Amino acid sequence: MRPVRLTMQAFGPYPGREVVDFRHAVEAGVFGIYGQTGSGKSTLFSAMTFALFGQASRSEQEAPTLRSDHADPGVATEVEFVFDMGEKRYVALRQPDQLRPKQRGSGETKSPHEAHLFDATGLTLEDITHDRRGRILAEKKVRDVDDAIRGLLGYGPEQFRQIVLLPQGRFETFLAAKTRDRLDILRELFDVSLYRNLAAHLKRQADEAEKRVSTERELCARRLAQEGFESAEALNIGITAVRQSQTELQNAEDATRSARDAAHQALTAGETLEGRFHEAEKAATALAALSKRQDAITALKEKVRQADRARVLLDLERHVQRTGEEAREAERFKAERTEAARIAAKEAIAAAETAVSEKARSGEIDALRRKADELNTYRAILANTVQESEAVSSAECKSAELRDKLVKVLAGLETLSKRRVSGLETLRTARLNEERRRAIAERLTVLQGALEKALAFDRSRKAVDAAQTAFDTLSGRYTKAEQRAREARETFENAERALSGAQALHLAAKLEDGSPCPVCGAQHHPDPVTGHIESAGLNDAFKETKAKWQTADEAARRTANELAVAKNTLELRQEDLRGLDVPEQSAEALREAVEQTSEAMNAHGDPADIPSAEEAIDQLSRRIEAGEAERERVRTALSESERDHASLKAALDARLSVIPDALREPKALTSESERIAKALSERQTRLEAAITAETQASRIAHGLEKEREAAETALTKCQAAHQEAQDTFLMRLTEAGFDQDAFDALKPAIRTIEDDRSRIEGFSRDLAVAEEAAKRTAEAVHDETRPDLNALKGRLTEAEAALASASERKSEAQQRVRHLQALRASLAETLKRLDEDEAHTGPLRRLAGLFDGKNALNLDLETFAIGAMFDQVLEAANLRLSPMTAGRYRLERDMDAGRGRRGLGLQIFDLFTGRARPTSTLSGGETFIAALALALGLADIVETTSGKVRLDTIFIDEGFGSLDTENGSGTLDLVLQVLNSLVIQNRAVGLISHVPLVQEAIPNGFYIRKGVGGSRVEARGFS
């Protein structure tokens, strides 16, 4: 992944829209991001992480908190990140959850998290705009965009923070991670799913095989235990014992069956004899019961005879009752007609009196008719004056409207006048306030300029002091280095002369006249070197002093170069300082003055819009003039309307003088006419109703009197018929020999006479049958002894119970034998099969156990595979760590670390001590170097082994302050040399640092400038 452009809006300390173009920085290879503490350097990394994954570079920071506190409420927080992947170009765009002002009304509304991913391949950076970002790959749904970006990059946010973006304070996370945590990180980076799936598959198969065998063995043992046996041998012994018991139980069953058959035959014979005795007793009992009913049957026969004689008198009695009912009904009807005739006569008298009263008020009808004629005359007059009345009303309405309009015009003029007076006062105050604001603003501008110059002068002076200190330090170091180099050279030259002299003595000792010199070739040697040969150790001294001289000389030249750089830096800083004016006041005093002046400016509020206020006053004046003209026009129109109304009303009043005032309105006249008409109609209706009621009441009273006379005649006839029927019935009753009580007593018997005759006949038949049955059954049990059935049933029950018990015991024994034999056969087959399964799956289970970590190293297959990749990571990391630590440290795996999972432990090997120790024992600077080397090695191996993951650029956030410089040639230089070597591998490195030497060594990059209203990004060092 190679960053191209980062655009932030209202993000972190950046209130506006900041665009960071990485193209020149990536081309430079190593670039820096510098700025004051809290200016927003790390926010660039958070913006990239958020654009890709919706998270900040620090995982504990929530995305909604990334919004800038300096931003305008109407500006949305948004990050756009353009990046390349090989030959492809992509654009990631995100907006976090945020509160924004409502478009209508007051208050805020929450906008949800939105994300977009575009394929911008083929578009230049200048072509990618707000309206044109390329082809949409995923949008709106955050989950879809997250999945698409993970698919492109090949890793997620946690891995991004480990191998691409190393946030502030997180260098040691991977270095100090536990084995399990490191396993999770490496599992995401290296695809070892094949080994994990293979181990899981083998473990699943082994577990299933082992579980299957153990389950079936446990089932076999449980089946034996349920039958009461501990083993298969105990089962065989049990089967033999049950077979012997089965034979004994068969013999017992045969004996009990014979006893049961004998008891059953005896019971059958006893039950037959007992049946005959029971029939004889039953027949005798039935005959005795019938004999007891003989007297009752005789009395019943006499009762039937009497009822038969009385039954002929029932018709006569019913005739008497019917005539009596008719007489009573006639008497009731007569009473009703008499009462109705009385009431009708009374109502006829009342109706006659009402008719007389109504006829006496006939004069009121004439008066009402005259009043109606008078009202009709008034209506005609009003009809002739309708147009004149409408004209009066119209004139009156017009006057009222004009009066209302005049009131409104006067009120409007008063309001406008007050607003103009108030506006003039406000304008005067605004002009005065604006003059004061202008004076304060001019002073604030002067103070801010002076403050900026004072701060620049202080910074330049501090830079000169720092450069002077560095120059003085390097001067001292150079003097010492030069002295050491000169001394080392003198020592080396002495050693060289000593070695040369010894070599000359050796040569001179071997010279002979006539023999050529091995140096010059002369055969004559007039002045050979003389002296004692003491050359032991001179060669070693020569080599040692030469090496020391070369080292000292190299150090002196390097120090001279550094001193030249420091001198150049000092001269540049001094030149910058000489170009600045010395401030008259200190920066602190100027800052306090700026704050006081700003407070005074704020106290005057926002600037006033004086031209708008003046324009408003002019508009009010024009509106007042127009209102005064309108007022005069309305007053004139109102006077004319009131004169017209008075004239029309006087003429109308003269025409209507004959009509009472209360009836001059058409509605009132109509209402009065309707009232008179209604009263006249009611009076006429009541008179007619009274006459009609008198006639009807007289006719009804006469008809009811005739009905009363007819009812009285009918009553006399009914009473005579009833008396005649009663006399006839009493005569016939006496002839039959009954009185009334005796006749009434026989009425129930008359109703049941037929049933009683049937009962008598049935009794005679039953008696004859019972006598015959008693005789026959008595003869059947003659000379027989009655059996004891309960004793016979008891003996049979005991015999059957004994037989059932014996049969059940025998069946149980037979079933037990069959069950145990089947169990023995089933278990034998199952145990044989289980032994074969255990032997067959043994290698599988042993291999699955080894893959699952059941081995001497406690390593599972996945961890072993990741460990192999981890070895490559450590090898690549040591290529970085060795030059950064002058060859002292080497990272290696700790195979014994941890009680659980092992194989991914990490320790540091110290060449100075020749021993390995935990990484936690490293110092802060050493920990930073080791973690940095590990991260770089991890990035190398991830990119090498993964076809998808590309790490064209990595970012490092802080940590350089923990490194020593040792006068400019310490660990920091070694680290920077390693970072510069990454450029050769076609990989860019971006880093954040506040260390001055880092900024001087790597001038290319970006500078974050912090201000009161937020921060902004400036590019540096790019031509």
Side-chain angles (χ1 to χ4, degrees), residues 223 227 229 235 238-240 242-243 246 250 807-826:
R223 291 175 64 187
E227 301 299 335
F229 302 109
L235 175 62
I239 291 175
T240 302
V242 173
R243 283 176 176 171
Q246 178 184 0
Q250 180 66 49
S807 299
E808 183 178 0
R809 290 196 299 274
K810 185 199 72 171
S811 297
E812 289 177 353
Q814 291 175 342
Q815 180 63 27
R816 180 68 171 168
V817 170
R818 290 192 296 270
H819 174 67
L820 293 179
Q821 288 175 340
L823 176 61
R824 181 173 59 186
S826 174

Side-chain angles (χ1 to χ4, degrees), residues 316-331 714-730:
L316 292 174
E317 184 184 38
R318 283 193 290 271
H319 180 64
V320 172
Q321 292 174 349
R322 184 169 59 252
T323 56
E325 181 64 28
E326 290 174 352
R328 286 191 294 276
E329 178 63 24
E331 186 175 4
L715 175 60
T716 302
K717 290 180 179 180
C718 288
Q719 287 175 345
H722 175 63
Q723 187 62 41
E724 182 180 359
Q726 193 172 16
D727 292 344
T728 301
F729 172 70
L730 290 175

Side-chain angles (χ1 to χ4, degrees), residues 884 924-929 932 959-966 970-973 975-976 995:
M884 286 192 290
E926 291 172 338
T927 298
F928 167 74
I929 293 173
L932 178 59
F960 295 94
S962 61
L963 305 180
D964 63 276
T965 59
E966 292 187 1
T971 308
L972 177 60
D973 287 326
V975 171
L976 293 178
V995 178

Side-chain angles (χ1 to χ4, degrees), residues 855-996:
N855 49 58
L857 294 178
N858 199 23
L859 283 178
D860 58 29
L861 182 62
E862 180 189 23
T863 307
F864 178 80
I866 291 179
M869 303 302 299
F870 194 38
D871 286 336
Q872 299 181 35
V873 171
L874 295 181
E875 183 179 354
N878 286 327
L879 293 177
R880 306 281 192 269
L881 181 61
S882 180
M884 286 192 290
T885 61
R888 177 179 179 180
Y889 290 122
R890 183 177 72 250
L891 291 169
E892 59 183 28
R893 288 171 64 190
D894 183 4
M895 300 300 293
D896 298 328
R899 297 181 180 179
R901 287 184 177 269
R902 300 180 182 180
L904 296 180
L906 191 61
Q907 60 186 5
I908 193 81
F909 185 81
D910 190 345
L911 295 180
F912 285 10
T913 63
R915 299 176 62 185
R917 52 190 172 95
T919 57
S920 59
T921 62
L922 295 173
S923 66
E926 291 172 338
T927 298
F928 167 74
I929 293 173
L932 178 59
L934 188 60
L936 296 174
L938 186 63
D940 289 340
I941 301 305
V942 168
E943 186 173 20
T944 301
T945 58
S946 174
K948 180 183 291 186
V949 178
R950 297 180 60 87
L951 303 175
D952 302 307
T953 306
I954 61 174
F955 295 90
I956 303 171
D957 188 356
E958 292 294 357
F960 295 94
S962 61
L963 305 180
D964 63 276
T965 59
E966 292 187 1
N967 296 326
S969 61
T971 308
L972 177 60
D973 287 326
L974 298 177
V975 171
L976 293 178
Q977 290 174 14
V978 171
L979 293 179
N980 277 298
S981 69
L982 294 178
V983 179
I984 303 175
Q985 303 175 12
N986 196 25
R987 177 178 295 161
V989 178
L991 53 89
I992 284 180
S993 178
H994 59 275
V995 178

Side-chain angles (χ1 to χ4, degrees), residues 17 26 29 54 297 310 526 539 603 626 668 671 682 686 759 870 892 941:
R17 188 173 185 85
V26 171
I297 293 300
N539 189 47
S671 177
E682 290 177 351
R686 290 180 63 181
R759 287 175 60 195
F870 194 38
E892 59 183 28
I941 301 305

Side-chain angles (χ1 to χ4, degrees), residues 497-512 517-519 527-536 538:
R497 285 194 295 272
L499 180 60
S500 299
Q503 291 175 342
L505 287 175
H506 279 286
L507 291 174
K510 296 179 179 179
L511 291 176
E512 295 180 357
C517 176
V519 177
D527 190 15
V529 177
T530 59
H532 299 285
I533 302 175
E534 297 177 356
S535 60
L538 293 178

